[in-house]
Amino acid sequence: MTARRRIILPDVSSSSGEVPVEGENLRYLRDVLRTKTGAVVEVLDGRGNVFEGVVESVGRRSLSVRIEGRVVRETESPLTLYLIQPLLKGEKMDLVVQKTTELGVKGIFPVITANSVVKKTRRLEHWRKVAGEAVRQSGRTVIPLIPGILSLEEVLEGLPSEAIKIVFHRDGKGKLNEIAGTVKGKQLPVYCLTGPEGGLSDDEVRAAVSAGFRPVSLGKRILRAETASLAAVTLIQFLLGDL
Ligand code: SAH
């Protein structure tokens, strides 16, 4: 696939006609990619729809794109995979959001756990932006959902009972390929929980197990929290998604 010029405009539709591109998108198209009049641009709504547009004019404050029609981009994983991610320190959280978006998660639930080093943050909008940028560059069409920060307990309570739930824990006895074998083809959503830097507490692992999570190990080595999340998402996409 050749690199395409892609921007996200949540309100775009096939009847948009000429749309103004401003702010961050303008800087990206005009100043970073040096887009000129006549260039073809892909405009995503971030919910799976992609439109092709042509740059009509490039100005100081705005650039104008005429929407020509819808295009089909089948880059989304068929798997509905959500990562439940305890808050990690600054850059690590960004890394997890960026990489797991590239790997195709449909949502990331930032949660507070007992051993979380970070308890509070104002970075929700920042993570949503990181996810949007990862969508744009990876060729995905859906921006992962990143809801507001909740406690792990609150998230566990709110999950549907009809789902595959996996908690990654060093002593986990579950076998990922066996879980995959029993659920393959059922199209259930998958919820994946990993711990923060300080690990999940025994109580939290117990709470997850009583909420239907199966504990699975990622081997005998202790992985850093961010490594665990990336490995977990990769393995689940491999066994149940489209890798
Ligand atoms: N300080 C903690 C380590 C936490 S590692 C301790 O000594 O226990 C952070 C998270 O990564 C863990 O909570 C777990 O979800 C995941 N993780 C790390 N290594 C793992 C492994 N070998 N198997 C499964 N999960 C692992």
Side-chain angles (χ1 to χ4, degrees), residues 103-167:
L103 289 163
V105 295
K106 295 285 193 266
I108 301 163
F109 292 72
V111 292
I112 295 168
T113 58
N115 293 333
S116 296
V117 183
V118 186
K119 298 271 184 201
K120 240 169 66 190
T121 175
R122 281 193 225 114
R123 293 176 74 79
L124 210 49
E125 279 314 314
H126 170 74
W127 298 327
R128 290 176 180 149
K129 191 171 151 218
V130 169
E133 281 166 6
V135 163
R136 191 174 70 191
Q137 74 78 33
S138 66
R140 285 190 66 174
T141 63
V142 176
I143 304 177
L145 171 83
I146 306 182
I149 301 163
L150 296 172
S151 68
L152 176 61
E153 202 181 350
E154 286 168 309
V155 169
L156 293 182
E157 276 170 12
L159 299 182
S161 53
E162 277 285 285
I164 303 158
K165 299 168 189 166
I166 303 167
V167 53

Side-chain angles (χ1 to χ4, degrees), residues 45-80:
D45 70 358
R47 297 181 297 279
N49 299 305
V50 184
F51 303 91
E52 205 162 74
V54 175
V55 176
E56 287 288 296
S57 60
V58 183
R60 237 167 59 80
R61 292 263 166 93
S62 169
L63 172 158
S64 170
V65 172
R66 182 166 29 83
I67 300 300
E68 304 267 88
R70 221 183 129 174
V71 287
V72 179
R73 295 271 172 264
E74 284 172 353
T75 49
E76 284 299 309
S77 170
L79 184 69
T80 305

Side-chain angles (χ1 to χ4, degrees), residues 12 29 79 107 174 183 197 226:
V12 72
L29 281 184
L79 184 69
V183 296
E197 284 100 341
E226 66 275 23

